[in-house]
Amino acid sequence: MYLEIVSPEATLFSSEIDAVTVPGADGEFEMLNHHAAIVSLLTAGIIKIKVHSQAHLDYDKLHPEVIPHVSDTKVLTLAIKSGTLESKDNKIIILAD
């Protein structure tokens, strides 16, 4: 599945992923491949991006706000203040503040 996270200033993340966990308005939820189409408001919290392999990621080119998780190198984290998520046909777009 493909994830793109954009802010008003820049594209923060854009790559194939295995899963993403987001802070939804009604609580945290995780999305995997073939998730049903959804639109959701996001609240302040941490987005956790799970990647299968780091081979396709260039850590030097990652936005500075996207941080590798301390204990799990296959997880990247990004703090947001709020946002909107849309998922359809294995593509997730997050508009984040």
Side-chain angles (χ1 to χ4, degrees):
M1 123 177 97
Y2 192 83
L3 172 66
E4 185 172 8
I5 303 174
V6 296
S7 74
E9 294 83 25
T11 298
L12 304 176
F13 185 84
S14 181
S15 181
E16 289 288 329
I17 63 164
D18 285 345
V20 63
T21 303
V22 295
D26 292 328
E28 186 176 82
F29 65 96
E30 182 175 53
M31 300 181 68
L32 303 169
N33 269 336
H34 307 294
H35 194 284
I38 185 173
V39 174
S40 178
L41 293 176
L42 303 178
T43 60
I46 303 293
I47 296 174
K48 297 173 195 156
I49 306 162
K50 297 176 185 171
V51 295
H52 176 71
S53 166
Q54 296 131 342
H56 65 281
L57 292 176
D58 185 350
Y59 282 95
D60 293 333
K61 291 184 180 180
L62 282 179
H63 194 276
E65 293 179 31
V66 178
I67 303 168
H69 193 271
V70 176
S71 63
D72 187 349
T73 58
K74 291 186 178 181
V75 176
L76 304 171
T77 60
L78 172 66
I80 63 168
K81 295 177 188 170
S82 65
T84 304
L85 173 146
E86 179 184 13
S87 173
K88 184 179 178 186
D89 298 329
N90 270 344
K91 182 172 183 182
I92 301 169
I93 299 172
I94 297 176
L95 306 175
D97 291 326

